[in-house]
Amino acid sequence: MSSSDEPGAVRPGWENFAERPVPEVHGATTAPEAELAGVLQRRHEELAAARGASASAATRVHATLFELAMLIGTLEQQVNRAGEPREAVDEELRHRELKNVKDRMLDVLRGAGVEVRDPRGLTADEVLDWADPVHWLQSPEFDAEVVAETNEYAVFHDGAVVRFAQVVMGAPAPAPAPAPKPEPEPEAPPEPDPQVKLDPDTEMPPPGQTPAPTDT
């Protein structure tokens, strides 16, 4: 039994306790409400930054699409001119104009981080991760499995494939199966010598033997 339970013992009251300050932890203490408000504020700032980055990216995409639309209009003009009589437009000039439009369109895409790749002529191992074979050709002209034709080009964005190429793969022709060996034909028995006359009463000689001459 403790001394405070003994008869006549004086129990301590609040006047016996002294107030002392709460020790500081990492500086001044923060109320839970203030800490939650700080977390929410940082979250709002992060969301605002993400919205700003998305808006900037959308603006760049729109600018790229608008410029491509303009170039497609120019390309349509060149295609229409290609249908004119040969005497009206020089063939070399027509080719140069179409190539110029094509190069400008590719430059616009590269500026937006988009790259177009043609896998024609590459081996199967080189296009394993960015091309889908839609057909196979077997021919002696192929020494290995390679892309023989490109139906659709592959599209990359910032170095990552976003659209697989559609290709026709070429492969060596299978080796012909060995021809079966012909079975040997049975040998025909030798024809009898017409100068040898056989007696009907004598026994016929076996095939391949000449009968002995008879005395007359």
Side-chain angles (χ1 to χ4, degrees), residues 21-83:
V22 177
E24 295 184 358
V25 179
H26 302 293
T29 58
T30 304
E33 298 84 1
E35 185 175 357
L36 180 59
V39 172
L40 292 176
Q41 179 63 28
R42 289 191 297 272
R43 181 59 177 166
H44 286 310
E45 293 174 355
E46 293 173 357
L47 290 175
R51 292 192 191 99
S54 298
S56 299
T59 301
R60 290 193 299 271
V61 170
H62 291 162
T64 301
L65 290 176
F66 297 154
E67 191 166 359
L68 284 177
M70 179 272 297
L71 291 173
I72 291 174
T74 304
L75 180 62
E76 183 180 14
Q77 292 179 344
Q78 303 301 332
V79 171
N80 292 336
R81 291 187 61 187

Side-chain angles (χ1 to χ4, degrees), residues 24-199:
E24 295 184 358
V25 179
H26 302 293
T29 58
T30 304
E33 298 84 1
E35 185 175 357
L36 180 59
V39 172
L40 292 176
Q41 179 63 28
R42 289 191 297 272
R43 181 59 177 166
H44 286 310
E45 293 174 355
E46 293 173 357
L47 290 175
R51 292 192 191 99
S54 298
S56 299
T59 301
R60 290 193 299 271
V61 170
H62 291 162
T64 301
L65 290 176
F66 297 154
E67 191 166 359
L68 284 177
M70 179 272 297
L71 291 173
I72 291 174
T74 304
L75 180 62
E76 183 180 14
Q77 292 179 344
Q78 303 301 332
V79 171
N80 292 336
R81 291 187 61 187
E84 298 177 1
R86 293 180 179 272
E87 295 78 9
V89 180
D90 181 69
E91 289 295 330
E92 184 177 355
L93 175 61
R94 177 181 299 167
H95 177 268
R96 187 165 59 249
E97 290 176 344
L98 290 174
K99 184 177 183 300
N100 180 56
V101 176
K102 182 264 297 181
D103 292 341
R104 291 172 61 188
M105 296 177 71
L106 291 178
D107 288 340
V108 171
L109 291 175
R110 292 191 191 98
V114 179
E115 181 185 2
V116 180
R117 297 185 189 177
D118 181 7
R120 181 182 176 88
L122 299 180
T123 64
D125 292 339
E126 293 175 304
V127 300
L128 180 63
D129 297 331
W130 54 281
D132 283 335
V134 297
H135 189 62
W136 284 83
L137 295 176
Q138 291 184 331
S139 173
E141 65 178 298
F142 301 114
D143 297 331
E145 294 182 353
V146 298
V147 179
E149 300 176 9
T150 301
N151 293 346
E152 295 181 5
Y153 286 10
V155 181
F156 289 75
H157 181 249
D158 291 338
V161 59
V162 294
R163 185 179 178 86
F164 277 56
Q166 305 295 313
V167 301
V168 177
M169 298 295 299
K181 295 182 179 180
E183 297 182 359
E185 297 181 358
E187 297 182 358
E191 296 182 358
D193 190 350
Q195 298 180 356
V196 177
K197 296 181 179 180
L198 300 177
D199 188 349

